[in-house]
Amino acid sequence: MTDVRIKTPNLDEIFEKWKQSAVRSDKKKMEKQFGTKGAIFSLDAISAAEYVKDTQKEAAIYFAIKKTEGELAKDTDEETVLAPKVGRETFYSFKAQGKINKSDWKGDEIIPTYETLQPIPCKKCNGKGYIESKCKTCKGTGKIEEQLQVLTGEEQKKEVKPFSYSCGVCYGTGTSKEQCKDCGGHKNLYKYQVLPVPFKTVITGIPVLHSSALTKYEKEIERDLHQMIEEVEGIKFNDFKELESKSEASLGYWNKNIKKTISSAGSDYKDYSKDKEAQITTQIYLFPMIQMFCETKKGAKFEIYSLGSANKFMTYSNF
Ligand SMILES: [Zn+2]
Ligand SMILES: [Zn+2]
């Protein structure tokens, strides 16, 4: 990176380049708009001086990013729940289907996965569902002891006789079973994992262009530039601060829109830097951009844009 000013292509060079490509893509239209009745059509007769009504010096900023869509979410989770809660959860399974297109997926990106569902025996009750303890009613004997008053003989002599019967709380076992509070009596708890949806990983290269020319054709220029970036010369920067401080000197001209464009491109760049799914894959390019407002003999208005230096530039037109 040097501070040397980048040379912009001159109008005739731009116009010439556009003319050649326009005649290649639609000669009939060129003849219709620029030809003279009775004369043989010649490209030489079509000059910038005659048809370019106004020009504007602008600038464009370009960088490319790579977006990895469908990368596995890092956060997974494990849930352990009571048995009745399992039925209230919604489980997902992708076993039969394989990988999913992220753009088609509606819903959460991490989901309870059916295949991971498994019972965990309750530790508190050792998987029995209840806690055994001495019956409080019979104090663990299984029997209720009582005394009977028996009046014996003619004298009705009082006698006390033992009488016992089986405990109605523990059914004579001496132990009572209380529902285990940890597992709710269901013997097991249930564990499952909340895992990322298995997305297909799609990597896309995305061009990002900001131009101060306020053109409707920014998307088209962006796409073309993305394909021929090596054939267009710009000034490359590693960071935005450097670009901001050197762009005016490098371009050799300046206006409000250029300043605005640089700052909006800068905040865009910052957003991409923070985006976990995006990766900036190029340096930041600053391009001189010339916008030419033209009008044909028939009165058809069109614009020609050039992007790049006098050495290497591309043209774009809505002709
Ligand atoms: Zn009992
Ligand atoms: Zn239990």
Side-chain angles (χ1 to χ4, degrees):
M1 170 61 216
T2 61
D3 288 351
V4 174
R5 186 167 143 178
I6 191 161
K7 198 169 174 283
T8 52
N10 72 43
L11 301 190
D12 289 321
E13 287 171 331
I14 298 166
F15 195 78
E16 187 60 31
K17 191 166 185 168
W18 165 75
K19 218 165 62 176
Q20 298 297 340
S21 76
V23 83
R24 268 199 307 274
S25 65
D26 196 345
K27 193 176 177 191
K28 275 205 178 120
K29 191 176 178 189
M30 287 294 279
E31 283 186 27
K32 198 182 156 210
Q33 291 294 336
F34 294 100
T36 311
K37 245 188 190 165
I40 296 164
F41 176 71
S42 157
L43 270 187
D44 296 340
I46 310 169
S47 71
E50 193 173 350
Y51 297 106
V52 179
K53 305 299 172 192
D54 196 11
T55 62
Q56 194 117 334
K57 283 186 163 180
E58 301 291 351
I61 290 164
Y62 169 89
F63 54 86
I65 61 165
K66 197 171 77 180
K67 252 198 146 161
T68 311
E69 212 192 284
E71 229 167 13
L72 288 189
K74 300 271 181 313
D75 36 334
T76 62
D77 211 353
E78 196 176 76
E79 296 277 354
T80 304
V81 297
L82 285 170
K85 252 194 124 179
V86 175
R88 275 178 251 141
E89 182 62 275
T90 306
F91 288 92
Y92 296 79
S93 173
F94 300 99
K95 245 182 137 179
Q97 207 186 346
K99 303 257 180 192
I100 305 298
N101 285 322
K102 191 171 185 178
S103 49
D104 297 338
W105 180 253
K106 289 171 194 74
D108 289 342
E109 293 185 5
I110 59 166
I111 37 84
T113 305
Y114 174 69
E115 281 75 24
T116 65
L117 181 64
Q118 62 178 111
I120 306 293
C122 177
K123 275 185 193 135
K124 177 93 177 273
C125 64
N126 292 318
K128 285 189 296 196
Y130 56 84
I131 310 278
E132 256 177 322
S133 59
K134 245 191 213 173
C135 175
K136 285 189 189 87
T137 307
C138 63
K139 294 186 178 70
T141 61
K143 284 185 280 184
I144 308 294
E145 308 275 356
E146 289 203 28
Q147 288 179 335
L148 287 185
Q149 302 263 8
V150 181
L151 304 179
T152 319
E154 201 178 16
E155 302 85 30
Q156 299 189 21
K157 196 178 150 198
K158 270 187 193 170
E159 265 186 59
V160 176
K161 302 267 190 190
F163 174 71
S164 72
Y165 54 90
S166 188
C167 173
V169 172
C170 65
Y171 315 111
T173 61
T175 57
S176 73
K177 293 173 184 175
E178 252 181 273
Q179 191 186 72
C180 170
K181 286 195 179 77
D182 279 20
C183 64
H186 301 292
K187 300 185 177 191
N188 297 314
L189 290 157
Y190 288 84
K191 190 170 85 174
Y192 58 87
Q193 284 171 341
V194 183
L195 298 176
V197 175
F199 291 126
K200 273 181 196 151
T201 307
V202 184
I203 300 170
T204 38
I206 303 165
V208 181
L209 182 76
H210 287 263
S211 91
S212 67
L214 309 173
T215 160
K216 282 185 283 184
Y217 308 102
E218 198 163 271
K219 282 288 149 207
E220 283 94 331
I221 298 172
E222 179 181 79
R223 194 196 49 219
D224 288 355
L225 180 63
H226 193 50
Q227 276 151 20
M228 50 196 293
I229 186 70
E230 293 310 318
E231 292 158 45
V232 181
E233 188 184 59
I235 312 163
K236 296 178 201 176
F237 296 92
N238 289 318
D239 65 78
F240 245 92
K241 271 206 182 113
E242 197 189 0
L243 184 147
E244 273 172 336
S245 70
K246 292 183 178 169
S247 48
E248 186 172 356
S250 303
L251 291 167
Y253 55 86
W254 197 245
N255 67 41
K256 252 194 210 158
N257 281 338
I258 297 175
K259 195 180 167 189
K260 248 178 44 202
T261 300
I262 289 174
S263 101
S264 80
S267 70
D268 208 15
Y269 188 88
K270 213 168 162 187
D271 288 345
Y272 282 122
S273 314
K274 282 187 200 152
D275 187 344
K276 277 180 197 153
E277 289 187 341
Q279 192 191 338
I280 297 157
T281 55
T282 59
Q283 286 179 291
I284 314 155
Y285 290 75
L286 173 70
F287 293 112
M289 190 172 188
I290 310 285
Q291 188 175 20
M292 297 170 34
F293 301 90
C294 313
E295 195 175 334
T296 69
K297 270 187 186 162
K298 299 259 163 83
K301 287 183 176 160
F302 65 100
E303 287 162 34
I304 300 169
Y305 303 93
S306 88
L307 212 69
S309 73
N311 287 335
K312 285 168 154 186
F313 64 94
M314 66 173 230
T315 60
Y316 183 83
S317 176
N318 62 336
F319 175 71

